[in-house]
Amino acid sequence: MGGFTINVLECKSVSKWYGDAAVLKSVDFDLAQNEIHAIVGENGAGKSTLVKIISGLVPVDVGTIKFEGSDRTFSNIREIQNSGVALIHQEPRLFPDLSVLENVCVDYQVRDGKSKRFNWKKAEGETKELLAQLGCSFSVHSPVKALSVADQQMVDMVSALRKKLKLLIVDEPTASLTPSEVARLFETIRKLNASGVAIIFIGHRLEEVLQLSDRITVLKDGEVVAVKKTSETTEDELIRLMVGRNISASSTDSKTSSGQTSLKVSNLESPGYVADVSFEVNRGEILGIGGLVGAGRSELLETIFGLRKRSAGEVISTKHGSIKKVKRAISSGIALVPEDRAHNGLFLNRSINENLVITNLKLTSRGGKRNFGKEREIGQELIEKFRVKLSSATQLVRELSGGNQQKVSLAKWLKQEIEILLIDEPSRGVDVGSKSEIHQFLNNSAKDGMSIIMVSSDMRELIELSHRIIVMRNGRIAGELSGSEISEEAVLRLASGLATAGKGH
Amino acid sequence: MAIKLNSKVTYLFKKREFGIFLFILVLLAVFGTLEPRFFRSDNLSAILSSVGILMVVGAGQTLVIVTRNIDLSVGSTLGMAAMVMGMVARENPDFPIFGLIVIAMIVGGLCGLLNGLLVSYGKIPAIIATLGTLAIIRGAVFLVSDNVQIDPNDVPQGIINLATTSPIGIPWLLIFAFLSIILVWYVSSKTLLGKRIYAVGSNPEGAISRGLSFNKITIMVFVFVGVLAGLGGVLYTARYATINPADVGRGLEFDVISAVVIGGTNIFGGSGTALGTALGCILIGILSNGLTVVGVSPFWKACATGFLILAAVAIDNSVRKRQEQNFLLAIRNQRTVN
């Protein structure tokens, strides 16, 4: 890339506190105009806070931010956006009821020559052109709620591009995208960068970070621990810097299961999502479910758990018989850890402890009355078991990082006998350290006899943890892989419909 | 494929309004059969007058509900505007009619501003804020009027004429109703401001992070409904010629919100159309008049309206769910094709 000459952005000793906790401690960060600068770090390291400060969503407590060479004095989001800074979140911030075009234009300033009226025709033309540049084929008139997450992200991107863009911040955009969608996104980012837009990229998948960026800043506990040129670093070094300790990237334990069936799903069907799905899972087995986003994987878990209406089929637990309703599923030792933990897995506005005991009220109450001592005891036990990082057990779950939230979402089930764990994207939005701990937990639980059905879009996770993999496509099972058949390529082939091989079904 | 998807959606939305239209025809047939007097011209013009007043206020309420808010105080606001206007007219019999209309709209706008400030800067949920102002403004009507009603001979003939005469053969009252609906239709479908109003209701957090001025838009829609309720006060006076502090606009919020919801505006914000609201107003107007004309007791009448609202929301929910499922299927097919 050559010499980085002009700095678009210079942050000097930026600090930020939330209450007593320092989230950022005197962070220095700079960004050259022709640069893609990645920020990596465990969840809770302060990456998102830093970019929120840069984009004006959160005010800075101490420190200065220089944008294009001069101190930035304004703190109003709109002014910052108008100065050419845009932030794209991991979950697109769109208006589901409005069309693509309306989403893109909604914050546009009417400065269209003399006319005070907004020129929809012109806007439509420009939006179409931008969408075409990004390789999108959907209509500008589709309502955004009808688009896939990847397409929604593209709409978010186009919304940012409509303005004169100087700095684009992309905060972990690939979590819910398929490989080809990621490739398209990266191509777009590179193109933008080549046209003079400076890029800040936050990512959890280090291979992607290494592939895309020119420089990498590593944050740990709110401090910059290293700034590396991408060409001079490796994945191992980054992990070491982020975590501060060595974690085994792969935990290939002997994959064995008992051969005793614990759950049998036959001909399960949920209209529009799941069609004619049958499989069995054994005690001590981790059954991975692969497939593209939208293939019906999450919906399958929800249907098994009884959350989603089924139109046909049966779910039979060897020990407890047929399962139809959520209550019955829970009492039969089945637990679901959903993908969208913020909405479905946790009560964000309640304390960590309350979230942990909510599934264990039978243990902590008598005659409908809560026993707070017992609650604290159980909470403490689970917190320690999972090494949840917190300031106190009465802290609101909202304030935890993604990794720690996921730990709470998982831990709440573990005080009871769980025989079958349904887990959806166990490491989505989770930092490397927590991810490795969660993996370890899943492996150990399986060894102890738990059956785990795991949906994952993280190919490495899916392949390393699963004893057997079922690949779904359009709501159906496209194939099954086990033992030496398991490979990234085989999963992808089945998921994309290139092959219908695999055993049975 | 995407274009097909889009036309499918438009079709469904159209279908919903078409459904209300059919229901209106059914009601007309039923009431007309049961009681031929229903179709007499004086009864029809009575229906049109009350529908017109509903439409003026309902047009404003639509935008408020689209932003995930609600204004329960429209009846009191209408009453306040009518009362102030009536008192000005009583003291100054020669006051120009146009001036009286402007006064009523300003009074209504001020009531709306109060609501808007409470909800935006005061951060009080609209349902509570406007429940408070519903009572406060009603109390204020008693206070300013000293509990003395405005009699028909104190109401200028020019105001009364608004309900009956016009330059083009349609009463002013209906022209105002029509213009209010057209205005809301235009703003919501043609302007950037309209899109912002829908955006705020569709995803408030998103709106803030995209730099839309959330408070400004909230205040704007409340002032707008207030101004229209003020105009509604003028039309109420034109129609009834009497302004009684206890009666004027009382319970109007119920009919207006019913009409808007039956018209398909999502009570959780983000969607709703002016045409739907107009049809909802017509439906409510016909229903309430028809039930009286055929001799249904007022108690049953209240029940019937209540049931209708619940039915409308239930149907709405199931239609929405089916739409979502259709979307998903369409997307899936799209993926398969690619």
Side-chain angles (χ1 to χ4, degrees), chain B residues 62-114:
Chain B
T62 306
L63 291 186
V64 172
I65 294 182
V66 160
T67 61
R68 276 195 198 182
N69 288 302
I70 196 161
D71 188 352
L72 298 176
S73 74
V74 284
S76 301
T77 301
L78 180 145
M80 187 70 187
M83 184 54 79
V84 171
M85 178 194 75
M87 289 170 68
V88 171
R90 187 172 61 194
E91 305 310 318
N92 318 281
D94 296 325
F95 210 86
I97 300 301
F98 179 73
L100 290 174
I101 297 176
V102 170
I103 285 176
M105 289 169 83
I106 288 173
V107 172
L110 289 174
C111 295
L113 181 64
L114 174 64

Side-chain angles (χ1 to χ4, degrees), chain B:
Chain B
M1 194 66 206
I3 292 160
K4 231 189 223 164
L5 195 74
N6 185 37
S7 65
K8 204 186 231 168
V9 176
T10 336
Y11 173 64
L12 274 165
F13 279 123
K14 271 187 186 149
K15 211 164 124 187
R16 176 184 168 88
E17 273 134 16
F18 189 64
I20 311 172
F21 180 68
L22 285 183
F23 193 62
I24 290 172
L25 293 183
V26 170
L27 282 183
L28 288 176
V30 170
F31 289 138
T33 322
L34 289 174
E35 181 55 73
R37 272 187 308 164
F38 179 78
F39 280 121
R40 267 177 34 188
S41 67
D42 57 340
N43 191 50
L44 288 182
S45 75
I47 293 177
L48 284 176
S49 299
S50 56
V51 166
I53 295 172
L54 272 185
M55 273 190 196
V56 169
V57 186
Q61 187 76 273
T62 306
L63 291 186
V64 172
I65 294 182
V66 160
T67 61
R68 276 195 198 182
N69 288 302
I70 196 161
D71 188 352
L72 298 176
S73 74
V74 284
S76 301
T77 301
L78 180 145
M80 187 70 187
M83 184 54 79
V84 171
M85 178 194 75
M87 289 170 68
V88 171
R90 187 172 61 194
E91 305 310 318
N92 318 281
D94 296 325
F95 210 86
I97 300 301
F98 179 73
L100 290 174
I101 297 176
V102 170
I103 285 176
M105 289 169 83
I106 288 173
V107 172
L110 289 174
C111 295
L113 181 64
L114 174 64
N115 286 327
L117 290 173
L118 288 173
V119 173
S120 60
Y121 290 105
K123 303 209 183 310
I124 305 172
I127 193 162
I128 300 300
T130 59
L131 188 67
T133 53
L134 164 93
I136 292 171
I137 297 170
R138 177 62 59 185
V141 175
F142 286 112
L143 289 173
V144 299
S145 68
D146 223 357
N147 202 12
V148 175
Q149 72 168 26
I150 309 284
D151 291 322
N153 41 9
D154 288 327
V155 177
Q157 191 57 38
I159 292 285
I160 291 174
N161 286 346
L162 292 178
T164 49
T165 64
S166 124
I168 52 167
I170 306 170
W172 277 109
L173 188 152
L174 293 181
I175 293 176
F176 282 130
F178 184 70
L179 289 179
S180 308
I181 293 292
I182 291 291
L183 179 64
V184 169
W185 167 79
Y186 179 79
V187 168
S188 64
S189 59
K190 300 283 170 198
T191 70
L192 218 46
L193 172 66
K195 296 308 170 195
R196 287 177 186 157
I197 291 172
Y198 281 68
V200 163
S202 192
N203 179 0
E205 276 178 34
I208 292 169
S209 78
R210 288 282 295 275
L212 303 185
S213 35
F214 185 79
N215 287 345
K216 205 169 98 189
I217 287 169
T218 307
I219 292 173
M220 214 181 276
V221 291
F222 274 106
V223 169
F224 181 63
V225 73
V227 168
L228 286 182
L231 179 60
V234 177
L235 302 179
Y236 177 96
T237 312
R239 183 177 174 207
Y240 297 102
T242 306
I243 308 166
N244 181 295
D247 290 340
V248 56
R250 168 148 282 172
L252 181 81
E253 64 280 350
F254 178 77
D255 283 347
V256 167
I257 294 166
S258 308
V260 172
V261 170
I262 288 169
T265 299
N266 185 355
I267 201 83
F268 299 116
S271 68
T273 64
L275 176 63
T277 293
L279 289 167
C281 292
I282 294 172
L283 184 69
I284 289 282
I286 290 176
L287 188 74
S288 112
N289 173 285
L291 290 173
T292 312
V293 170
V294 299
V296 172
S297 99
F299 310 129
W300 280 114
K301 201 177 118 180
C303 286
T305 322
F307 276 124
L308 189 66
I309 297 169
L310 295 181
V313 174
I315 292 169
D316 211 37
N317 279 345
S318 74
V319 168
R320 238 180 265 280
K321 224 179 206 167
R322 196 165 330 141
Q323 277 178 6
E324 255 162 46
Q325 232 166 51
N326 286 347
F327 281 147
L328 286 170
L329 286 175
I331 291 167
R332 182 155 303 158
N333 296 337
Q334 208 169 350
R335 273 179 191 264
T336 328
V337 171
N338 296 344

Side-chain angles (χ1 to χ4, degrees), chain A residues 77-78 81 94-98 102-108 117-118 120 139 141 146 148 159 272-273 294 474, chain B residues 2 6 186 190 192 195-196 198-199 202-203 206-213 270 327-329 331-332 335-336:
Chain A
I77 307 172
R78 187 192 288 231
Q81 289 184 347
L94 296 169
F95 309 106
D97 297 294
L98 300 185
E102 290 162 0
N103 262 283
V104 171
C105 301
V106 74
D107 58 353
Y108 200 65
R117 278 186 57 193
F118 185 63
W120 286 105
S139 153
H141 298 295
S148 68
S159 312
Y273 300 98
N474 292 337
Chain B
N6 185 37
Y186 179 79
K190 300 283 170 198
L192 218 46
K195 296 308 170 195
R196 287 177 186 157
Y198 281 68
S202 192
N203 179 0
I208 292 169
S209 78
R210 288 282 295 275
L212 303 185
S213 35
F327 281 147
L328 286 170
L329 286 175
I331 291 167
R332 182 155 303 158
R335 273 179 191 264
T336 328

Side-chain angles (χ1 to χ4, degrees), chain A residues 281-298:
Chain A
V281 57
N282 293 335
R283 262 174 61 83
E285 183 182 35
I286 301 180
L287 173 67
I289 300 186
L292 302 178
V293 172
R297 301 169 304 167
S298 306

